Amino acid sequence: DTEVTQTPKHLVMGMTNKKSLKCEQHMGHRAMYWYKQKAKKPPELMFVYSYEKLSINESVPSRFSPECPNSSLLNLHLHALQPEDSALYLCASTRQGLVRNTEAFFGQGTRLTVV
Amino acid sequence: KNEVEQSPQNLTAQEGEFITINCSYSVGISALHWLQQHPGGGIVSLFMLSSGKKKHGRLIATINIQEKHSSLHITASHPRDSAVYICAVLNYGGSQGNLIFGKGTKLSVKP
């Protein structure tokens, strides 16, 4: 199994809603990443979890709250989002963090629309 | 100047044509990824290179570390190859690196 699975594929939420994005991998990878991608732009790193601990937070607003309950699962909790947060949210995983020659595996993404 | 530059930004080809997409980078790297993204979709890793050349089916990727340049070639292109191709480099050094992405090349292959 070389897949990173993200759910849901699409999400529409109001600015007062609370929702969560989910990312799962069963490759035994110990680093997992959240990226945000706006239309026609490259992905931007949001968070990195390494061995279930948050190791990088790229100054992301607190309305985005990551969680890594175990080594296979990564969540992104969303609350009080703004319309400009509408984007494709991508999850990725690597064996042990992006060290030396490490291949990254990406999920299909969740297309989020905030109304 | 971006740390990872791709060219061209947009590319339209006829089915069957040989296609080349270029990537130049200005930082020290330990590896370079070529990624494919279909419209509205997730990202698929095509190649990870740290030296030389790799081939997978009709896709060939090369890298010249001294010149800080990589190319992705598609032979006998097909409409299903239409996608955005992204070059991403793994910045050298540190225990927790990050991928630096190029802006992507949008490829459209016409039948």
Side-chain angles (χ1 to χ4, degrees):
Chain A
D1 182 2
T2 57
E3 280 192 356
V4 175
T5 304
Q6 287 187 245
T7 54
K9 286 189 170 41
H10 300 273
L11 178 62
V12 179
M13 62 184 289
M15 289 189 281
T16 58
N17 290 160
K18 282 187 184 180
K19 296 285 184 185
S20 297
L21 309 185
K22 181 178 166 182
C23 173
E24 205 162 359
Q25 55 83 19
H26 297 286
M27 294 178 278
H29 289 177
R30 302 311 298 272
M32 296 182 77
Y33 309 75
W34 279 116
Y35 287 89
K36 175 182 177 180
Q37 187 180 26
K38 301 285 277 184
K40 298 184 181 179
K41 299 280 187 187
E44 296 175 356
L45 183 67
M46 299 175 73
F47 301 105
V48 181
Y49 270 84
S50 180
Y51 290 87
E52 296 94 69
K53 286 188 172 52
L54 182 64
S55 61
I56 294 179
N57 176 342
E58 290 288 337
S59 303
V60 179
S62 60
R63 56 186 186 269
F64 295 92
S65 175
E67 180 198 18
C68 189
N70 60 61
S71 59
S72 299
L73 186 56
L74 183 67
N75 297 320
L76 186 62
H77 302 298
L78 314 172
H79 173 54
L81 293 195
Q82 304 295 312
E84 59 264 29
D85 296 321
S86 300
L88 181 71
Y89 288 83
L90 288 161
C91 174
S93 72
T94 56
R95 194 190 311 273
Q96 277 182 315
L98 285 170
V99 179
R100 299 290 171 175
N101 303 342
T102 303
E103 187 169 6
F105 291 79
F106 289 86
Q108 288 294 306
T110 294
R111 175 74 59 191
L112 174 68
T113 304
V114 181
V115 297
Chain B
K1 190 180 188 302
N2 293 328
E3 292 167 308
V4 180
E5 296 273 3
Q6 283 186 239
S7 63
Q9 276 189 300
N10 292 282
L11 180 56
T12 300
Q14 286 299 124
E15 184 173 356
E17 285 185 359
F18 180 84
I19 287 161
T20 296
I21 300 170
N22 295 300
C23 175
S24 296
Y25 52 91
S26 57
V27 295
I29 72 165
S30 57
L32 181 146
H33 282 68
W34 278 104
L35 309 167
Q36 181 192 55
Q37 186 172 33
H38 285 281
I43 290 176
V44 173
S45 178
L46 299 174
F47 295 103
M48 187 187 69
L49 291 164
S50 53
S51 64
K53 176 180 174 178
K54 285 190 177 178
K55 184 176 190 291
H56 185 248
R58 295 180 294 108
L59 302 177
I60 303 165
T62 63
I63 189 168
N64 185 319
I65 296 290
Q66 285 73 34
E67 294 186 5
K68 296 190 172 180
H69 181 268
S70 176
S71 294
L72 176 68
H73 306 285
I74 304 176
T75 61
S77 60
H78 190 276
R80 64 174 175 266
D81 296 326
S82 299
V84 175
Y85 292 84
I86 303 169
C87 170
V89 301
L90 177 55
N91 197 199
Y92 182 82
S95 61
Q96 187 65 58
N98 183 27
L99 286 170
I100 305 173
F101 292 86
K103 291 187 175 179
T105 294
K106 185 175 180 182
L107 172 65
S108 179
V109 181
K110 306 291 186 191

PDB file of all heavy atoms in Angstrom, chain A residues 54-69:
ATOM      1  N   LEU A  54       4.637  17.719  16.633  1.00  0.00           N
ATOM      2  CA  LEU A  54       4.662  18.855  15.719  1.00  0.00           C
ATOM      3  C   LEU A  54       6.073  19.430  15.685  1.00  0.00           C
ATOM      4  O   LEU A  54       6.597  19.882  16.705  1.00  0.00           O
ATOM      5  CB  LEU A  54       3.662  19.921  16.174  1.00  0.00           C
ATOM      6  CG  LEU A  54       3.535  21.148  15.278  1.00  0.00           C
ATOM      7  CD1 LEU A  54       2.987  20.773  13.902  1.00  0.00           C
ATOM      8  CD2 LEU A  54       2.637  22.201  15.933  1.00  0.00           C
ATOM      9  N   SER A  55       6.704  19.402  14.506  1.00  0.00           N
ATOM     10  CA  SER A  55       8.075  19.894  14.437  1.00  0.00           C
ATOM     11  C   SER A  55       8.187  21.197  13.650  1.00  0.00           C
ATOM     12  O   SER A  55       9.131  21.950  13.829  1.00  0.00           O
ATOM     13  CB  SER A  55       9.002  18.836  13.825  1.00  0.00           C
ATOM     14  OG  SER A  55       8.613  18.518  12.505  1.00  0.00           O
ATOM     15  N   ILE A  56       7.250  21.459  12.778  1.00  0.00           N
ATOM     16  CA  ILE A  56       7.259  22.720  12.036  1.00  0.00           C
ATOM     17  C   ILE A  56       5.833  23.268  11.969  1.00  0.00           C
ATOM     18  O   ILE A  56       4.897  22.548  11.640  1.00  0.00           O
ATOM     19  CB  ILE A  56       7.812  22.554  10.598  1.00  0.00           C
ATOM     20  CG1 ILE A  56       9.282  22.174  10.629  1.00  0.00           C
ATOM     21  CG2 ILE A  56       7.603  23.839   9.787  1.00  0.00           C
ATOM     22  CD1 ILE A  56       9.908  21.964   9.260  1.00  0.00           C
ATOM     23  N   ASN A  57       5.669  24.525  12.326  1.00  0.00           N
ATOM     24  CA  ASN A  57       4.429  25.264  12.132  1.00  0.00           C
ATOM     25  C   ASN A  57       4.832  26.537  11.401  1.00  0.00           C
ATOM     26  O   ASN A  57       5.500  27.395  11.971  1.00  0.00           O
ATOM     27  CB  ASN A  57       3.793  25.580  13.482  1.00  0.00           C
ATOM     28  CG  ASN A  57       2.533  26.440  13.348  1.00  0.00           C
ATOM     29  OD1 ASN A  57       2.286  27.078  12.333  1.00  0.00           O
ATOM     30  ND2 ASN A  57       1.740  26.464  14.390  1.00  0.00           N
ATOM     31  N   GLU A  58       4.437  26.652  10.139  1.00  0.00           N
ATOM     32  CA  GLU A  58       4.873  27.784   9.325  1.00  0.00           C
ATOM     33  C   GLU A  58       3.994  29.006   9.566  1.00  0.00           C
ATOM     34  O   GLU A  58       3.384  29.547   8.652  1.00  0.00           O
ATOM     35  CB  GLU A  58       4.867  27.403   7.841  1.00  0.00           C
ATOM     36  CG  GLU A  58       5.938  26.401   7.441  1.00  0.00           C
ATOM     37  CD  GLU A  58       7.322  27.022   7.445  1.00  0.00           C
ATOM     38  OE1 GLU A  58       7.449  28.253   7.318  1.00  0.00           O
ATOM     39  OE2 GLU A  58       8.300  26.268   7.586  1.00  0.00           O
ATOM     40  N   SER A  59       3.921  29.417  10.838  1.00  0.00           N
ATOM     41  CA  SER A  59       3.160  30.626  11.202  1.00  0.00           C
ATOM     42  C   SER A  59       1.735  30.583  10.670  1.00  0.00           C
ATOM     43  O   SER A  59       1.234  31.566  10.120  1.00  0.00           O
ATOM     44  CB  SER A  59       3.864  31.892  10.680  1.00  0.00           C
ATOM     45  OG  SER A  59       5.174  31.962  11.164  1.00  0.00           O
ATOM     46  N   VAL A  60       1.124  29.428  10.849  1.00  0.00           N
ATOM     47  CA  VAL A  60      -0.249  29.248  10.366  1.00  0.00           C
ATOM     48  C   VAL A  60      -1.226  29.803  11.409  1.00  0.00           C
ATOM     49  O   VAL A  60      -1.035  29.574  12.609  1.00  0.00           O
ATOM     50  CB  VAL A  60      -0.535  27.753  10.115  1.00  0.00           C
ATOM     51  CG1 VAL A  60      -1.965  27.542   9.625  1.00  0.00           C
ATOM     52  CG2 VAL A  60       0.465  27.193   9.109  1.00  0.00           C
ATOM     53  N   PRO A  61      -2.273  30.517  10.966  1.00  0.00           N
ATOM     54  CA  PRO A  61      -3.254  31.058  11.930  1.00  0.00           C
ATOM     55  C   PRO A  61      -3.871  29.964  12.785  1.00  0.00           C
ATOM     56  O   PRO A  61      -4.031  28.815  12.343  1.00  0.00           O
ATOM     57  CB  PRO A  61      -4.313  31.703  11.029  1.00  0.00           C
ATOM     58  CG  PRO A  61      -3.634  31.962   9.737  1.00  0.00           C
ATOM     59  CD  PRO A  61      -2.595  30.895   9.583  1.00  0.00           C
ATOM     60  N   SER A  62      -4.266  30.319  14.012  1.00  0.00           N
ATOM     61  CA  SER A  62      -4.764  29.329  14.973  1.00  0.00           C
ATOM     62  C   SER A  62      -6.115  28.746  14.590  1.00  0.00           C
ATOM     63  O   SER A  62      -6.562  27.774  15.207  1.00  0.00           O
ATOM     64  CB  SER A  62      -4.866  29.964  16.366  1.00  0.00           C
ATOM     65  OG  SER A  62      -5.748  31.064  16.327  1.00  0.00           O
ATOM     66  N   ARG A  63      -6.762  29.313  13.576  1.00  0.00           N
ATOM     67  CA  ARG A  63      -8.016  28.710  13.129  1.00  0.00           C
ATOM     68  C   ARG A  63      -7.769  27.360  12.428  1.00  0.00           C
ATOM     69  O   ARG A  63      -8.696  26.615  12.150  1.00  0.00           O
ATOM     70  CB  ARG A  63      -8.786  29.663  12.215  1.00  0.00           C
ATOM     71  CG  ARG A  63      -8.039  30.154  11.005  1.00  0.00           C
ATOM     72  CD  ARG A  63      -8.878  31.218  10.261  1.00  0.00           C
ATOM     73  NE  ARG A  63      -8.283  31.644   9.009  1.00  0.00           N
ATOM     74  CZ  ARG A  63      -7.457  32.666   8.907  1.00  0.00           C
ATOM     75  NH1 ARG A  63      -7.127  33.367   9.985  1.00  0.00           N
ATOM     76  NH2 ARG A  63      -6.951  32.991   7.729  1.00  0.00           N
ATOM     77  N   PHE A  64      -6.503  27.075  12.154  1.00  0.00           N
ATOM     78  CA  PHE A  64      -6.094  25.761  11.668  1.00  0.00           C
ATOM     79  C   PHE A  64      -5.374  25.055  12.817  1.00  0.00           C
ATOM     80  O   PHE A  64      -4.368  25.556  13.322  1.00  0.00           O
ATOM     81  CB  PHE A  64      -5.133  25.872  10.486  1.00  0.00           C
ATOM     82  CG  PHE A  64      -5.732  26.478   9.262  1.00  0.00           C
ATOM     83  CD1 PHE A  64      -5.655  27.844   9.036  1.00  0.00           C
ATOM     84  CD2 PHE A  64      -6.377  25.684   8.318  1.00  0.00           C
ATOM     85  CE1 PHE A  64      -6.212  28.418   7.902  1.00  0.00           C
ATOM     86  CE2 PHE A  64      -6.921  26.239   7.176  1.00  0.00           C
ATOM     87  CZ  PHE A  64      -6.843  27.607   6.965  1.00  0.00           C
ATOM     88  N   SER A  65      -5.850  23.873  13.186  1.00  0.00           N
ATOM     89  CA  SER A  65      -5.268  23.174  14.315  1.00  0.00           C
ATOM     90  C   SER A  65      -4.943  21.741  13.911  1.00  0.00           C
ATOM     91  O   SER A  65      -5.847  20.936  13.682  1.00  0.00           O
ATOM     92  CB  SER A  65      -6.250  23.180  15.480  1.00  0.00           C
ATOM     93  OG  SER A  65      -5.768  22.413  16.544  1.00  0.00           O
ATOM     94  N   PRO A  66      -3.656  21.396  13.795  1.00  0.00           N
ATOM     95  CA  PRO A  66      -3.308  20.042  13.395  1.00  0.00           C
ATOM     96  C   PRO A  66      -3.299  19.095  14.588  1.00  0.00           C
ATOM     97  O   PRO A  66      -3.146  19.503  15.731  1.00  0.00           O
ATOM     98  CB  PRO A  66      -1.896  20.217  12.831  1.00  0.00           C
ATOM     99  CG  PRO A  66      -1.316  21.326  13.652  1.00  0.00           C
ATOM    100  CD  PRO A  66      -2.455  22.246  13.992  1.00  0.00           C
ATOM    101  N   GLU A  67      -3.448  17.818  14.248  1.00  0.00           N
ATOM    102  CA  GLU A  67      -3.409  16.793  15.285  1.00  0.00           C
ATOM    103  C   GLU A  67      -2.877  15.510  14.671  1.00  0.00           C
ATOM    104  O   GLU A  67      -3.257  15.153  13.558  1.00  0.00           O
ATOM    105  CB  GLU A  67      -4.820  16.547  15.834  1.00  0.00           C
ATOM    106  CG  GLU A  67      -4.889  15.497  16.927  1.00  0.00           C
ATOM    107  CD  GLU A  67      -6.290  14.955  17.138  1.00  0.00           C
ATOM    108  OE1 GLU A  67      -7.149  15.125  16.234  1.00  0.00           O
ATOM    109  OE2 GLU A  67      -6.522  14.342  18.185  1.00  0.00           O
ATOM    110  N   CYS A  68      -2.003  14.819  15.389  1.00  0.00           N
ATOM    111  CA  CYS A  68      -1.473  13.548  14.906  1.00  0.00           C
ATOM    112  C   CYS A  68      -1.685  12.505  15.991  1.00  0.00           C
ATOM    113  O   CYS A  68      -0.795  12.290  16.823  1.00  0.00           O
ATOM    114  CB  CYS A  68       0.003  13.697  14.545  1.00  0.00           C
ATOM    115  SG  CYS A  68       0.704  12.271  13.709  1.00  0.00           S
ATOM    116  N   PRO A  69      -2.858  11.869  16.026  1.00  0.00           N
ATOM    117  CA  PRO A  69      -3.173  10.935  17.112  1.00  0.00           C
ATOM    118  C   PRO A  69      -2.324   9.665  17.105  1.00  0.00           C
ATOM    119  O   PRO A  69      -2.121   9.055  18.157  1.00  0.00           O
ATOM    120  CB  PRO A  69      -4.657  10.610  16.906  1.00  0.00           C
ATOM    121  CG  PRO A  69      -5.018  11.105  15.564  1.00  0.00           C
ATOM    122  CD  PRO A  69      -3.970  12.051  15.101  1.00  0.00           C
TER     123      PRO A  69
END
